[in-house]
């Protein structure tokens, strides 16, 4: 089973615009993380938000977490061509399993 | 350099053959994970281990086996019972029982001859 479900599955925006991706999950979590993957590569960690936190920032990234709705969002501001990648959310449940969603494919248009 | 290393980068399996994918880390992390990724899909958890000599099944453990005899090593064997093994395999490690970020290797692409 896949705990997280990202939305949308694919997103194309113009360079300089903001990109928003959403993640929904099913069970109680310890934390939620966002990762980026360039084609054929390993994943790179972007940001971790714990279950008792509501918002975190890192550079051009902003993550929110709503545990009552079991959802999170990732905002990338002022997008760049280098942001083109797949983005995944991952949740750690109470059994310490880390489960990934299916991802959002982001394409930044020049 | 500290990091997590997967080998080989590409691996081919014949019908009925078992193959082993290597994953080594020198980050002194407790937790290690194996994921399978099919084209255009997300990662699915195969096995994970939070301590030496202990490991747990993930969501798709059938046809796979692991061992954790050393803290720095977590090899994955794809057995002949795994009928559809072609996929990209990713290993990851994390400190503090996985309650911090995951560090990923660069992956192994397994194909069937």
């Amino acid at each position: 089973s896949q705990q997280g479900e990202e939305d949308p599955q694919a997103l194309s925006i113009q360079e300089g615009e903001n990109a928003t991706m959403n993640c929904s999950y099913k069970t109680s979590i310890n934390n939620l993380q966002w990762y980026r993957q360039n084609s054929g590569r390993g994943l790179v960690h972007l940001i971790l938000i714990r279950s008792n936190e509501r918002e975190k920032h890192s550079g051009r990234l902003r993550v929110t977490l709503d545990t009552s709705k079991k959802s999170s969002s990732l905002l990338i501001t002022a997008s760049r061509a280098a942001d083109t990648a797949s983005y995944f959310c991952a949740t750690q449940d109470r059994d310490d399993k880390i489960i990934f969603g299916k991802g959002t494919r982001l394409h930044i248009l020049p | 350099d500290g990091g997590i290393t997967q080998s080989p980068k590409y691996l081919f399996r014949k019908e009925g053959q078992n193959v082993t994918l290597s994953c080594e880390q020198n980050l002194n992390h407790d937790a290690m994970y194996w994921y399978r990724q099919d084209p255009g899909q997300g990662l699915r958890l195969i096995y994970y281990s939070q301590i030496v000599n202990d490991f747990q099944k993930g969501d798709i453990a059938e046809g796979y086996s692991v061992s954790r005899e050393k803290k720095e090593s977590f090899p994955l064997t794809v057995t002949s019972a795994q009928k559809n093994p072609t996929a990209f395999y990713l290993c990851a490690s994390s400190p503090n029982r996985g309650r911090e970020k995951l560090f990923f290797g660069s992956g192994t692409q397994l194909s069937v001859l």
Side-chain angles (χ1 to χ4, degrees):
Chain A
S1 64
Q2 297 203 248
Q3 164 81 302
E5 290 287 339
E6 288 91 340
D7 170 57
Q9 290 186 338
L11 179 63
S12 293
I13 61 171
Q14 295 293 138
E15 191 168 11
E17 293 181 340
N18 295 343
T20 299
M21 288 159 268
N22 302 296
C23 170
S24 59
Y25 58 92
K26 299 173 185 174
T27 64
S28 296
I29 61 171
N30 293 328
N31 62 59
L32 185 145
Q33 305 179 46
W34 285 91
Y35 289 82
R36 184 185 72 220
Q37 183 183 35
N38 291 94
S39 182
R41 302 285 194 91
L43 277 69
V44 174
H45 180 263
L46 296 175
I47 199 163
L48 180 152
I49 186 165
R50 302 195 188 279
S51 59
N52 61 352
E53 298 175 310
R54 291 297 168 258
E55 186 172 313
K56 283 190 85 168
H57 297 255
S58 177
R60 294 184 297 113
L61 305 180
R62 173 177 169 257
V63 168
T64 62
L65 178 65
D66 186 336
T67 53
S68 66
K69 295 182 179 178
K70 291 186 169 57
S71 68
S72 173
S73 67
L74 170 67
L75 169 67
I76 303 174
T77 61
S79 62
R80 304 168 182 170
D83 294 329
T84 293
S86 292
Y87 292 81
F88 296 91
C89 70
T91 52
Q92 186 184 45
D93 66 16
R94 303 301 190 199
D95 295 325
D96 291 333
K97 287 171 64 175
I98 300 178
I99 303 295
F100 284 77
K102 295 182 180 179
T104 292
R105 294 186 305 281
L106 176 63
H107 187 204
I108 308 300
L109 302 168
Chain B
D1 286 341
I4 181 165
T5 303
Q6 289 186 242
S7 63
K9 190 172 177 63
Y10 300 97
L11 186 59
F12 297 91
R13 193 191 88 166
K14 295 179 181 178
E15 292 289 338
Q17 186 182 41
N18 293 353
V19 292
T20 298
L21 284 61
S22 171
C23 179
E24 303 275 333
Q25 54 99 0
N26 60 4
L27 300 167
N28 199 34
H29 287 171
D30 298 313
M32 297 187 75
Y33 303 79
W34 274 107
Y35 291 92
R36 167 180 172 142
Q37 186 177 32
D38 292 283
Q41 301 296 311
L43 281 66
R44 291 185 290 168
L45 181 63
I46 306 173
Y47 270 98
Y48 65 111
S49 167
Q50 293 164 312
I51 193 170
V52 175
N53 293 323
D54 189 37
F55 48 82
Q56 289 77 40
K57 292 182 179 180
D59 295 325
I60 56 165
E62 187 174 349
Y64 299 97
S65 66
V66 293
S67 62
R68 188 83 189 278
E69 298 176 0
K70 298 186 295 182
K71 188 175 186 178
E72 58 269 26
S73 179
F74 192 39
L76 173 73
T77 296
V78 184
T79 74
S80 57
Q82 173 49 247
K83 298 305 180 187
N84 184 23
T86 297
F88 189 53
Y89 290 85
L90 286 159
C91 179
S93 69
S94 178
N96 193 18
R97 297 175 63 90
R99 299 193 181 192
E100 306 296 334
K101 67 180 184 181
L102 293 176
F103 292 73
F104 278 87
S106 55
T108 293
Q109 175 64 51
L110 175 62
S111 302
V112 176
L113 291 175

